Amino acid sequence: MAFKADTKSSRTHSHIRHSSSDSDEYSSTVDDATHPHPPLISTYNDRIRPLLNCIDRLRQLKVMQEGIQLPTIVVVGDQSSGKSSVLESLAQISLPRAQGICTRVPLIMRLQHHLDPRPQLHLEYHDKTIVTDESRIEEDIITATDEIAGHGKGISHTPLTLIVKKKGVPDLTMVDLPGITRVPVHGQPEDIYEQIAAIINEYIAPEETIILNVLSASVDFTTCESIRMSQRADVKGVRTLAVVTKADRNPEGLLEKVTADDVNIGLGYICVRNRVGNETYEEARIKEAKLFESHPLLRMVDKSMVGIPVLAEKLVEIQSSIISKCLPNIVKKINDKLTGYVGELNKLPRKMASVAEAMTAFMRIIGSVKESLRKVLIRGEFDEYPDDKSMHCTARLSEMLNEYSVNLQLTGGIERKELFLMEEIKVLEEAKGIGLPNFLPRTAFLTVLNRKVNGVSGMPLEFVGNLWRYIEEVVTKVLISHSENYPPLQASMKRAGQSLIAKMKDVSVTRVMEMVEMEKITDYTCNPEYTVIWGKLMSHQKAFMEAVTTDHHSKPAEIEIEWLKVEVGHLRRRYDDDGGEVVGQAFDMKMRMMAYWKIVMGRMVDCMALHMLYSIQNLVNQEMEFEVVKEIMTPHGGGIERMLEESPVVAGKREKLNRSVKLLRESKDSVTNMMDQVAAYGD
């Protein structure tokens, strides 16, 4: 944000030199007749006073605590740069002078011209107002500073406001900050520089701030610490105005300094003469005017760059410009924040005065919890949690089920390390009995089936554990979200959710164990796919038996059976021993098991999916409400009456929001009144 004030500064370099004795002569000469009193009252005053009053009122209301920056003229300078003298000349009052830091707190100076010849001065701090006068102002400022920052030489961020209503002063509001010092004197903190720098940086950082940098004519501007600080905050210099003090004592080279502008001062320079000794402010201004008119070096400086009256007028002009530029944005921020805070207040739970109101609110919470769970767990709607992928539950559940299916197929499809058909042959040999030959013993088939089911029996239980752990996280998050304004209720609802999940997990574990046991004790299916797969596999029996016959020297030792490649060389000896009867039975049982195992794998996934969906539906539509109500109504649940107690967190939030809304409404009223005054003035 750039602020420009018209300047007619000459950029002509001058190399004129003059003796210091001539300078003293011009500093001490007073000619009342030829140098009339230059007025400090700006023609802008009548027009900007409503604007300035509005900004001062907003500052008094502490609207900046709400993150709304106000246009401010901030005065900075190195220690002993003449900062206090400049402010005294503008305010026409005396400020405290002492060795070391004079200003230990931010001093907000509100200057206001009024027609009453009797000045009105008062101080505001710690929510109190102290009436003072010109004879006591220094003492009262020191007393107030001690009360704010403590006795000694420490500093504080807490501001002190000085209101000066006096005839002839410009309408200005400025913030005077402690002078910059690097070396602590006796009684000052060792980190005094860091403390002062922190205050200055806090005030000059906002784009709405104008930096009034006070420089002594005796120093090299490029080495001034105040310049370095302002350059860091205002890189292009568009918010910085420089005041060069002690021009009468150091006139040599001053013109070159202010015209060369080596330090990038965007709003220009104003050169002034400090008041000396017991001079009155009128005498000081007359001497200043004569100095810049008559001094052989200083008269070369353009008249638009010299004198306290010029400084006053320029500050008023800049102040008017910055307020006009910033005010629309301030109004917008006030309205936006007010709307936001009112919205937050409306979202807070209404204070309940009866059990009936509490019960109504409780049932509303239960209803909203169930609806949120239906959205995320059943319907797959994620509008309440658009960016939280862990709450996109139908997608996550599908991923979990797919992962379970893949892992189950991988684990269940792993063959034992024994050679092809050797497990089946061993089982068949152990299942022999007295009976007709060529019959496949059912006990042998069930023995192999049991071994395969046992190999994957832990996976369904692991899936159930992961499933309910995830659902518990989802349910807990939803319960806490909908009951966040009722901490006592929140704890009970969370406890109810955890209890319900534990119960439903136990039920799921029981169901899954039953499912696994059923697969062990029976080998039944009505799925025609079994017969189809078995038929395809058995179509390779002839080729297989041929591969293991005695005339095997010309036959390959490996054959393909659908998706399997199997080694058969080790089976040829078995064929030679028993004529192939056991090998044939083993092949038949293996093919039956391969066909049936596909059915078992699919059934273990399908049953798990159906059980999962049924359990979730039951959880949301029936069990949740019952469990929460039961928990609330138990003695340790505290009953519905606990909802009548507003939690400290909610009460604190309500109080803070009410305070902010009150402040912003008063701020809005101040802006509205100001606009009415401006409109009336325009008419």
Side-chain angles (χ1 to χ4, degrees):
M1 184 180 295
F3 303 100
K4 296 183 179 179
D6 294 334
T7 60
K8 301 176 182 177
S9 305
S10 170
R11 298 296 179 186
T12 305
H13 288 261
S14 172
H15 300 284
I16 301 175
R17 296 290 181 267
H18 198 80
S19 67
S20 60
S21 60
D22 290 335
S23 172
D24 293 339
E25 178 184 347
Y26 285 106
S27 298
S28 58
T29 304
V30 181
D31 187 347
D32 294 339
T34 58
H35 298 88
H37 180 181
L40 280 184
I41 305 173
S42 170
T43 56
Y44 289 94
N45 284 22
D46 291 340
R47 281 176 284 172
I48 72 152
R49 174 41 57 189
L51 299 177
L52 192 53
N53 284 342
C54 176
I55 297 300
D56 288 340
R57 175 58 180 160
L58 295 180
R59 184 175 286 108
Q60 187 179 30
L61 289 171
K62 300 179 180 178
V63 75
M64 295 175 75
Q65 292 181 357
E66 300 298 331
I68 300 174
Q69 296 297 333
L70 299 177
T72 307
I73 298 174
V74 175
V75 186
V76 299
D78 292 0
Q79 190 172 315
S80 303
S81 62
K83 188 160 56 72
S84 295
S85 297
V86 171
L87 296 174
E88 285 180 343
S89 297
L90 291 170
Q92 299 182 28
I93 61 170
S94 296
L95 297 174
R97 303 289 187 106
Q99 184 66 27
I101 301 175
C102 302
T103 305
R104 298 196 292 126
V105 299
L107 178 63
I108 301 173
M109 298 182 63
R110 293 170 52 191
L111 311 183
Q112 181 175 352
H113 165 70
H114 75 159
L115 299 178
D116 191 337
R118 292 169 298 182
Q120 296 178 16
L121 285 73
H122 60 272
L123 298 169
E124 294 178 354
Y125 63 99
H126 289 175
D127 296 324
K128 62 182 178 181
T129 300
I130 306 297
V131 178
T132 184
D133 57 39
E134 290 182 276
S135 64
R136 295 186 292 113
I137 184 61
E138 294 181 64
E139 179 183 347
D140 287 342
I141 289 177
I142 292 172
T143 301
T145 300
D146 288 343
E147 188 173 335
I148 295 171
H151 295 277
K153 296 186 178 179
I155 63 174
S156 171
H157 286 249
T158 303
L160 167 65
T161 300
L162 168 62
I163 293 92
V164 178
K165 296 181 179 180
K166 187 173 183 180
K167 186 175 183 179
V169 300
D171 279 340
L172 283 173
T173 296
M174 301 170 290
V175 180
D176 180 28
L177 299 180
I180 304 167
T181 179
R182 281 196 169 273
V183 181
V185 299
H186 180 68
Q188 291 178 346
E190 288 298 320
D191 63 342
I192 187 66
Y193 170 77
E194 288 75 15
Q195 291 188 35
I196 293 174
I199 294 179
I200 291 175
N201 290 330
E202 175 187 337
Y203 274 86
I204 67 176
E207 289 293 316
E208 296 82 0
T209 296
I210 294 296
I211 305 170
L212 181 60
N213 208 319
V214 180
L215 310 168
S216 172
S218 62
V219 302
D220 181 355
F221 295 168
T222 60
T223 65
C224 287
E225 188 63 26
S226 64
I227 286 291
R228 292 179 181 175
M229 286 188 180
S230 62
Q231 284 177 333
R232 285 193 290 267
D234 180 24
V235 177
K236 296 182 179 180
V238 295
R239 299 188 285 116
T240 304
L241 171 68
V243 179
V244 184
T245 64
K246 306 176 185 178
D248 53 330
R249 299 182 184 179
N250 303 276
E252 291 83 2
L254 181 59
L255 180 62
E256 287 82 353
K257 287 183 177 181
V258 298
T259 54
D261 190 21
D262 293 331
V263 291
N264 194 22
I265 303 296
L267 295 177
Y269 294 82
I270 305 294
C271 302
V272 300
R273 170 192 177 275
N274 294 51
R275 188 167 64 96
V276 178
N278 294 323
E279 290 177 346
T280 65
Y281 294 104
E282 182 179 350
E283 290 171 347
R285 287 165 58 195
I286 292 173
K287 286 186 178 182
E288 180 184 61
K290 179 176 176 61
L291 175 70
F292 287 107
E293 287 177 3
S294 307
H295 193 287
L297 294 179
L298 298 179
R299 68 185 180 186
M300 302 296 293
V301 183
D302 192 280
K303 295 301 178 287
S304 66
M305 300 173 63
V306 298
I308 291 295
V310 172
L311 174 62
E313 184 170 355
K314 189 157 190 174
L315 287 174
V316 170
E317 180 185 352
I318 291 172
Q319 181 178 246
S320 175
S321 174
I322 184 178
I323 292 176
S324 299
K325 288 177 183 293
C326 294
L327 198 56
N329 193 41
I330 291 173
V331 173
K332 182 179 183 301
K333 287 182 178 179
I334 289 174
N335 288 330
D336 289 348
K337 285 187 174 291
L338 182 58
T339 301
Y341 288 153
V342 170
E344 287 186 52
L345 265 177
N346 291 335
K347 289 179 182 178
L348 290 179
R350 187 168 56 89
K351 286 185 178 180
M352 290 170 287
S354 66
V355 174
E357 287 185 27
M359 179 59 76
T360 301
F362 172 68
M363 296 311 297
R364 190 182 300 116
I365 291 172
I366 291 294
S368 62
V369 166
K370 290 173 65 176
E371 179 59 21
S372 291
L373 290 175
R374 287 191 187 100
K375 283 184 176 181
V376 297
L377 286 172
I378 299 175
R379 300 202 298 265
E381 298 172 7
F382 315 129
D383 52 288
E384 293 182 21
Y385 306 93
D387 301 320
D388 187 353
K389 290 192 175 182
S390 68
M391 295 298 287
H392 299 180
C393 301
T394 53
R396 302 292 81 79
L397 291 171
S398 176
E399 290 172 355
M400 292 174 67
L401 190 64
N402 289 338
E403 184 180 5
Y404 164 68
S405 175
V406 170
N407 292 338
L408 191 66
Q409 297 290 343
L410 289 174
T411 304
I414 297 175
E415 295 292 329
R416 294 171 66 89
K417 293 183 179 179
E418 295 179 272
L419 296 173
F420 182 65
L421 293 187
M422 293 309 296
E423 179 186 9
E424 286 76 11
I425 290 172
K426 291 178 182 178
V427 170
L428 286 169
E429 288 179 342
E430 294 301 318
K432 286 180 180 178
I434 301 173
L436 293 173
N438 297 328
F439 278 89
L440 183 63
R442 188 164 182 267
T443 55
F445 186 86
L446 291 177
T447 299
V448 176
L449 178 62
N450 266 264
R451 289 178 181 176
K452 292 181 74 67
V453 173
N454 284 331
V456 298
S457 60
M459 299 185 68
L461 293 175
E462 181 183 358
F463 175 79
V464 165
N466 294 335
L467 170 67
W468 287 108
R469 192 177 304 112
Y470 171 68
I471 292 176
E472 181 178 357
E473 292 174 0
V474 172
V475 169
T476 300
K477 185 175 290 188
V478 171
L479 286 170
I480 290 177
S481 173
H482 286 281
S483 60
E484 62 181 349
N485 294 323
Y486 305 94
L489 178 65
Q490 191 176 62
S492 297
M493 293 186 74
K494 182 178 179 181
R495 193 161 52 244
Q498 293 171 338
S499 174
L500 176 60
I501 296 299
K503 291 176 183 178
M504 298 196 74
K505 179 183 176 182
D506 289 343
V507 171
S508 291
V509 168
T510 301
R511 294 288 181 272
V512 168
M513 291 178 67
E514 288 177 352
M515 177 184 72
V516 171
E517 290 301 314
M518 285 189 292
E519 295 294 351
K520 290 180 182 180
I521 64 174
T522 183
D523 55 352
Y524 172 77
T525 182
C526 65
N527 191 335
E529 186 181 0
Y530 164 73
T531 305
V532 172
I533 296 174
W534 177 71
K536 288 182 179 180
L537 292 171
M538 289 300 292
S539 67
H540 297 274
Q541 185 177 28
K542 182 179 179 181
F544 169 77
M545 295 304 294
E546 289 177 355
V548 296
T549 59
T550 52
D551 184 18
H552 51 70
H553 296 289
S554 61
K555 298 283 195 314
E558 184 179 88
I559 68 169
E560 290 187 6
I561 303 175
E562 292 298 318
W563 61 88
L564 288 179
K565 285 185 178 181
V566 297
E567 186 75 31
V568 298
H570 61 283
L571 296 172
R572 288 168 177 170
R573 179 175 294 181
R574 296 286 312 186
Y575 187 88
D576 292 341
D577 292 343
D578 58 17
E581 179 181 352
V582 176
V583 173
Q585 284 184 324
F587 181 83
D588 186 7
M589 186 168 71
K590 181 73 172 181
M591 298 305 105
R592 291 176 186 275
M593 182 59 66
M594 288 172 62
Y596 184 63
W597 190 242
K598 281 187 172 292
I599 302 298
V600 172
M601 291 289 96
R603 195 155 55 201
M604 292 180 78
V605 174
D606 291 346
C607 289
M608 186 66 75
L610 292 173
H611 173 72
M612 177 181 73
L613 294 175
Y614 171 78
S615 298
I616 291 173
Q617 291 270 0
N618 194 35
L619 166 77
V620 174
N621 294 325
Q622 298 182 34
E623 301 295 338
M624 175 61 68
E625 182 174 351
F626 175 78
E627 192 70 28
V628 171
V629 172
K630 186 178 73 171
E631 175 67 30
I632 294 295
M633 295 309 174
T634 57
H636 69 270
I640 206 71
E641 293 84 359
R642 295 190 66 184
M643 292 184 65
L644 299 176
E645 306 169 7
E646 189 167 54
S647 74
V649 174
V650 175
K653 186 176 182 180
R654 190 190 303 278
E655 182 182 357
K656 183 178 181 300
L657 286 172
N658 278 324
R659 190 164 54 244
S660 295
V661 167
K662 180 176 181 293
L663 183 155
L664 291 170
R665 280 176 175 162
E666 290 180 7
S667 300
K668 185 176 181 179
D669 291 341
S670 296
V671 173
T672 302
N673 293 336
M674 177 274 298
M675 290 180 172
D676 291 342
Q677 292 181 43
V678 171
Y681 180 83
D683 294 340

